[in-house]
Structure formats: structure tokens, C-alpha cells
Amino acid sequence: MRVPPQRTRREVSGLIAASAALLAAPAVLRAQTAARVIVIGGGFGGASCARALRQADSKLDVTLVEANTTFTSCPLSNEVIAGLRDIGAQQFGYDKIAAEGVRVVLQAATAIDAQAHKVTLADGSTLPYDRLVLAPGIDIDFTALQGYDEAASTVMPHAYKAGEQTLLLRKQIEAMPDGGTVAIAVPANPSRCPPAPYERASLIAHYLKTHKPKSKVLVLDAKDNFSQQRLFEQAWKQLYDGMIEHIPLSQGGRVTGVEVATRTVITEFGNYTPDVANIIPPQKAGRIAALAGAADRTGWCPIDAATFASKLVPDIHVIGDACLGGGIPKSAGAAQAQGKACAAVIARDLGGRSSEPPPLTGVCYSIVAPDYAFSLAGVYQPKGDLFAEAEGGRSSAVDASRETRATEVEAATTWFKALTHDAFG
């Protein structure tokens, strides 16, 4: 039997000191090669964050938890409603993300134990984490409008989560008689993609002009002013003169409830009975954010804008539409930028490095006809707990030519391809 050599007093002292230093180090740093990061939500923010984490540090143990096997994109889904695009062009899977070394778990997260650092899944199993990223997107607030619940949405669709609701609204418009009215109820901010309801009104008007020219679109708005209003109103006059009627808040446009049996839309100043009612209610952060304790009384998640760290729960970060973001919009482009920035912050922290977070950039395209679009690009910097708009943003010119508007449609298609490739591979 081989007897191990005796260590000198100096060697023993060195080992004791090294062991003490290791025990004194933070647990995450001691297990740095296996630090566990879970991302809940496989939309633009969550998918981009999971990929960026692996790219930033291949030693990280990254898990993406998503309830659906297929993601259906909201950007460009208004084209599906107008019959200009197939729903299949909006759908993406997670195979390429898994091939990059991200563990993809296709189950719903049902609970979070922030103290024990564990996520419970629908099958009852649990996943431990060192850092948790919540990217749950939005949920519809079915308590906000009298009479409008989940059952009502099967009759008066919101179509603000792309998929079945998108197709339902499309079918209702296709079945509507010529001379009918499509009413769109628009909520107050904060809301997902603020220009989207007005883009939707435009593309529905395009469909009606082509197939049911005696029909009209009624926009019942809980706001007096909206994003890129001059550009939308200019386009409506040029393309759909007399087909779109916008009733703002000050003129009684805010919808307060519905009567499903009679398809009645109730406002503060009067009621409407359109042929098709697209009811977009107020929204809130996805349910798992509330279960984690990361959402406050507003229904949204307050964060440290520099790190995306929850202000309410330690070791949890929140990105995308679920955040109280201040000046940054709730949009796919912004969510993707946040996902990448959050991944950089987490990789930096777990690796013991220091760096300043870069400004976030985001662009939003509004397509109002097959050959007519405009855009808004923003730059955002952390300012306290929120994001503030910084210099460098731009909006399409009001006096741009029709050729320029057509070019922006091509740019929107290119942007969408880049956005989805960055998120889903």
C-alpha cells in the first residue's frame, strides 16, 4: 500500500487558508461553472435572453421554461387579421435554441419560491435557480371592463395575444356583411405596443375597402392622443377617407363595459352595437409575475432599470412587457433589447466582472396598407427605476413620399426577419 507523503507545516497552513477563502466566497461564485439561470417566458424577450446568456458564458446552466410548443408573434399579426399574411408565418419553435445548449422545458411555471430559489412546473416537479428571469409578457385584465371576461372574448375577441384570437377576429370580419361596422376598443396606457390598435384599424379598413367597401371602422379610444397620431391620421385621410372614425376620450370614447348577448359596447356617453367588436381591455404583467411577488398594485413589475432586478424580490429580474418601464414602450423590439441587456448583466455579475449597461434601442413599424408604412425608433437610458428616452431617436417624416412609405414596408419585413432570427434562430 502506497503511503501518501507527509505535508509540511507551510503546505498545511496554505490549504487551510485556501479552504477558508473558498468558504467565504459567495455561493454563486464557488459554483460559477454551474450557475443556474432560469428564464420563464419564450417570447421575444425571454428567448433572446436565454440565447444571449449562453453566448455570453457557455458555462452557465440556462433553462428556458415556456408553456407553449410554438410561439405566435404579435408583430405583423394585424396583417393576418386583414388577410394579407398567413398565421404560419408568425409561428416559431424552440429547436434551434435547444441546439445551442439551452435546456428548453415546455411546461407552464405554476409557482415560484423566491426564498428557496425554486420554480414549480405544471407536472409538480421543481427547478432550482441562482438567478431567475421573468419574461411573461402580458395578461388580459378580465376584471377591468364590466361584462368582459374570458368567455366574452370568444364572442368579442381582443386578439391581443396572437393565435386563436387573431384568427377568430379575422373570421368575424370576413363573415360581416358589406355595410357593417367593426368597432375597436382601445385601452389607456400602459398597454402592449401602443400604435398596434391604430395599425389594426388601418389594415381592417384596407380589407373592407377591397372586399366590403360600404363598411367602416369605429375606434373607441380611452386616450385623447396616441403614438404617431399625425402619421396615422394622414394615412387615413389619404387611403381610407371617411372609412375610419376615431372617438377619443374627451368625446366619450372610453369603453367601460360590454353586453355580450346583444354584442353591445358600452361607453361613458353612449352605447354601440357593431357587427364585429374587437375589445382590447387594459392589461397587466403575465400571471407568473404576480405569483412570484414581483408585480405591485399596478399589476406591473417595478425594476431597477440598470439591471432589470425586481424591486420586490431578490435574485429575480423582469424584462419585456411585464415591466414598469417608464419611457420605453412595451414592444417586441424593446423586449428583445432588454433580454440581451439583462443577459449581459447576469453574466457580468456571475463572472465577477464590471461594466456599464449600454443604452437600449428599439424600432416599431406600423403598416397601414400593403405599400404604406412608417416607423418610430427610440434610444433609452436608465434613469432611476425607469427608462428615459435619450437623444438619437427618430420618427418617419410626415411629408415623406409614397415611395418612401413603400420602402418602409420592405424595411418592416426585413426588421421582422432579423427580430425573429435573433430570438429563435
Side-chain angles (χ1 to χ4, degrees):
M1 182 176 67
R2 182 175 181 271
V3 178
Q6 295 294 313
R7 299 189 183 278
T8 66
R9 181 177 297 176
R10 179 174 294 177
E11 288 173 330
V12 171
S13 298
L15 284 171
I16 292 173
S19 298
L22 181 63
L23 291 171
V28 170
L29 293 181
R30 281 186 271 126
Q32 182 179 339
T33 57
R36 300 157 300 186
V37 184
I38 295 177
V39 181
I40 297 178
F44 286 107
S48 299
C49 185
R51 293 189 73 195
L53 283 163
R54 284 290 299 173
Q55 292 163 5
D57 187 347
S58 61
K59 295 178 182 178
L60 292 175
D61 180 355
V62 182
T63 300
L64 177 64
V65 176
E66 167 55 46
N68 300 301
T69 58
T70 302
F71 172 75
T72 305
S73 165
C74 281
L76 300 196
S77 66
N78 284 329
E79 289 192 323
V80 177
I81 294 170
L84 299 172
R85 189 176 179 86
D86 186 78
I87 192 72
Q90 300 296 106
Q91 296 177 326
F92 303 89
Y94 299 98
D95 291 349
K96 292 180 180 179
I97 296 176
E100 294 178 352
V102 175
R103 183 185 298 105
V104 177
V105 177
L106 297 176
Q107 286 193 60
T110 58
I112 293 172
D113 186 333
Q115 186 171 3
H117 283 53
K118 288 184 179 179
V119 175
T120 300
L121 302 175
D123 66 0
S125 62
T126 60
L127 298 174
Y129 67 85
D130 297 302
R131 294 290 181 93
L132 176 64
V133 180
L134 299 179
I138 63 157
D139 270 347
I140 301 299
D141 186 352
F142 285 113
T143 67
L145 302 178
Q146 184 177 357
Y148 194 79
D149 55 16
E150 195 160 2
S153 71
T154 65
V155 179
M156 308 167 89
H158 54 77
Y160 234 55
K161 285 188 167 186
E164 291 182 5
Q165 284 269 308
T166 309
L167 296 177
L168 175 60
L169 181 56
R170 175 175 172 170
K171 289 176 182 176
Q172 289 185 352
I173 295 170
E174 289 174 343
M176 185 185 79
D178 191 9
T181 299
V182 179
I184 303 175
V186 183
N189 290 329
S191 178
R192 164 178 278 176
C193 195
Y198 312 99
E199 178 193 65
R200 179 173 294 181
S202 306
L203 290 178
I204 290 175
H206 170 77
Y207 172 83
L208 297 177
K209 183 178 180 180
T210 306
H211 300 282
K212 306 174 192 287
K214 297 177 183 178
S215 304
K216 66 179 293 185
V217 180
L218 178 65
V219 181
L220 299 170
D221 205 337
K223 304 185 295 294
D224 278 326
N225 303 294
F226 57 89
S227 177
Q228 295 188 291
Q229 184 166 352
R230 288 184 65 196
L231 287 162
F232 276 109
E233 290 178 341
Q234 179 190 61
W236 294 346
K237 186 171 181 60
Q238 290 178 357
L239 304 174
Y240 312 117
D241 194 21
M243 289 191 72
I244 300 176
E245 181 183 359
H246 177 250
I247 302 180
L249 172 66
S250 58
Q251 295 177 27
R254 186 172 77 90
V255 171
T256 59
V258 301
E259 292 178 359
V260 179
T262 58
R263 293 178 182 259
T264 300
V265 181
I266 303 167
T267 73
E268 294 173 320
F269 288 9
N271 298 344
Y272 300 85
T273 309
D275 297 87
V276 176
N278 172 210
I279 307 298
I280 307 172
Q283 297 129 49
K284 58 185 178 180
R287 182 170 179 266
I288 194 64
L291 294 177
D296 64 13
R297 289 181 295 177
T298 68
W300 305 101
C301 301
I303 60 168
D304 177 342
T307 64
F308 304 94
S310 167
K311 301 289 287 184
L312 303 177
V313 191
D315 296 327
I316 290 181
H317 303 255
V318 189
I319 58 175
D321 292 352
C323 295
L324 277 172
I328 197 168
K330 298 182 185 299
S331 69
Q336 184 167 87
Q338 291 175 44
K340 292 180 178 181
C342 182
V345 167
I346 292 173
R348 175 198 71 189
D349 290 352
L350 295 178
R353 300 185 297 272
S354 62
S355 63
E356 288 297 319
L360 302 180
T361 59
V363 62
C364 178
Y365 287 90
S366 295
I367 300 174
V368 297
D371 60 351
Y372 194 120
F374 42 81
S375 60
L376 177 66
V379 180
Y380 310 94
Q381 286 275 21
K383 186 175 182 180
D385 296 338
L386 300 173
F387 289 96
E389 196 161 358
E391 292 184 3
R394 61 160 184 83
S395 176
S396 296
V398 174
D399 59 354
S401 66
R402 288 297 296 271
E403 290 77 16
T404 299
R405 301 288 190 229
T407 300
E408 291 233 52
V409 175
E410 297 175 5
T413 303
T414 301
W415 164 81
F416 183 74
K417 289 179 180 178
L419 184 79
T420 52
H421 181 269
D422 275 358
F424 305 103

